[in-house]
């Protein structure tokens, strides 16, 4: 059986967070106007403090999208009992624009992993039209699949993820 070369499969995003899907819209995630997020890349917490720019493709600005950003490895990959931790939620984003043109439902919270390597996943869903999306009562134990079902979003149209681990530095305990 041939092995997949899809980074979302290799990184177990497909399976842990999402079911298999076919990407149909371009999505570009950029931190600090310099660090493009490419699946499997590694970014340090110090690089992701500020909300990224997320550009959405498409050809008709009347088409709307919802963006979620989750950490399926919270609080640690060995015991992800807060899977999926919701870092950001934006809805009603017009195609051909960016997340800053949508309605921020849950404010951006920068990932701050304390143990292990965390996958930080951006998922884009196409909406059937403008809709009201309610903020969840908490960030931990969010579920992308359930969320998509509740809001009738269907399968994702794009996803990308990066790996993130605690910055090493002076604040770390000496051995």
């Amino acid at each position: 059986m041939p092995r997949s070369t899809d980074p979302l499969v290799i990184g177990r995003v497909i399976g842990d967070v999402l079911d298999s899907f076919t990407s149909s819209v371009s999505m570009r995630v950029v931190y600090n106007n310099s660090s493009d997020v490419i699946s499997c890349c590694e970014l340090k917490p110090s690089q992701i403090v500020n909300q990224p720019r997320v550009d959405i493709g498409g050809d008709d600005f009347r088409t709307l999208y919802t963006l979620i950003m989750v950490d399926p490895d919270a609080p640690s990959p060995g015991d992800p009992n807060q899977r999926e931790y919701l870092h950001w939620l934006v809805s009603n984003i017009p195609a051909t624009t960016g997340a800053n043109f949508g309605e921020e439902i849950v404010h951006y919270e920068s990932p701050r992993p304390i143990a292990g390597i965390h996958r930080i996943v951006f998922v884009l869903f196409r909406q059937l039209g403008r809709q009201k999306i309610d903020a969840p009562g908490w960030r931990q134990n969010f579920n992308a699949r359930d969320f998509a079902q509740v809001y009738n979003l269907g399968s994702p149209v794009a996803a990308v993820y990066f790996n993130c681990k605690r910055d090493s530095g002076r604040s770390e305990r000496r051995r």
Side-chain angles (χ1 to χ4, degrees):
M1 183 168 160
R3 293 189 140 193
S4 177
T5 58
D6 182 344
L8 296 172
V9 172
I10 294 168
R12 295 184 340 271
V13 170
I14 301 295
D16 287 353
V17 180
L18 304 170
D19 294 325
S20 187
F21 72 97
T22 301
S23 183
S24 59
V25 174
S26 64
M27 176 175 65
R28 182 176 182 224
V29 179
V30 181
Y31 277 97
N32 302 318
N33 292 322
S34 63
S35 301
D36 273 41
V37 173
I38 299 169
S39 285
C40 298
C41 74
E42 184 174 315
L43 296 174
K44 298 175 184 173
S46 58
Q47 294 175 287
I48 58 173
V49 170
N50 299 316
Q51 178 178 305
R53 187 180 82 235
V54 179
D55 298 323
I56 310 299
D59 53 12
D60 184 349
F61 69 88
R62 293 173 295 186
T63 302
L64 300 172
Y65 296 92
T66 293
L67 173 72
I68 63 170
M69 176 184 171
V70 295
D71 177 352
D73 301 311
S76 72
D79 183 22
N81 60 48
Q82 294 180 2
R83 171 180 289 171
E84 302 152 26
Y85 189 89
L86 180 64
H87 284 279
W88 198 23
L89 172 57
V90 184
S91 69
N92 297 317
I93 306 166
T96 75
T97 68
N100 56 323
F101 287 91
E103 296 171 24
E104 190 174 58
I105 308 301
V106 175
H107 295 296
Y108 178 80
E109 181 182 298
S110 177
R112 294 180 297 274
I114 56 171
I117 298 171
H118 291 240
R119 296 163 294 165
I120 308 301
V121 184
F122 291 86
V123 184
L124 188 68
F125 294 96
R126 179 179 287 119
Q127 298 173 203
L128 296 176
R130 182 166 296 280
Q131 64 187 105
K132 180 181 181 334
I133 292 179
D134 297 314
W138 50 85
R139 291 177 183 259
Q140 66 274 14
N141 301 117
F142 182 84
N143 186 297
R145 291 177 180 104
D146 291 349
F147 174 79
Q149 186 175 18
V150 166
Y151 289 101
N152 200 26
L153 298 172
S155 295
V157 294
V160 65
Y161 82 99
F162 64 91
N163 294 314
C164 186
K165 64 181 179 182
R166 182 176 166 183
D167 276 322
S168 57
R170 295 185 191 141
S171 63
E172 245 184 328
R173 187 187 301 175
R174 297 185 186 257
R175 296 176 200 204

